[in-house]
Amino acid sequence: MTAPPRVLVVTHALDPTADFVLRELNERRVPFWRTDLADFPTRTTLRAELEVDGR
């Protein structure tokens, strides 16, 4: 079973602009995943797939 789609928010630890965006996503009940570029690639990895139908 695959996870539902999420918005990827790439930011850094002290990014007040991203905080505003995430607050709005929460209010709209949009799932997201926030990641800090400082964690890549030592603590965070990323894998993406594009299916034939574009999903």
Side-chain angles (χ1 to χ4, degrees):
M1 178 179 220
T2 58
R6 294 176 181 236
V7 173
L8 173 61
V9 180
V10 180
T11 185
H12 57 86
L14 300 174
D15 184 351
T17 305
D19 295 338
F20 287 114
V21 171
L22 299 179
R23 189 174 306 124
E24 186 67 26
L25 290 173
N26 273 323
E27 288 179 11
R28 295 179 185 209
R29 299 177 188 233
V30 175
F32 64 86
W33 182 59
R34 180 180 184 160
T35 188
D36 185 338
L37 282 178
D39 293 338
F40 184 80
T42 57
R43 295 172 54 190
T44 301
T45 59
L46 177 65
R47 187 186 101 202
E49 296 179 15
L50 181 61
E51 297 185 17
V52 177
D53 63 359
R55 294 186 301 142

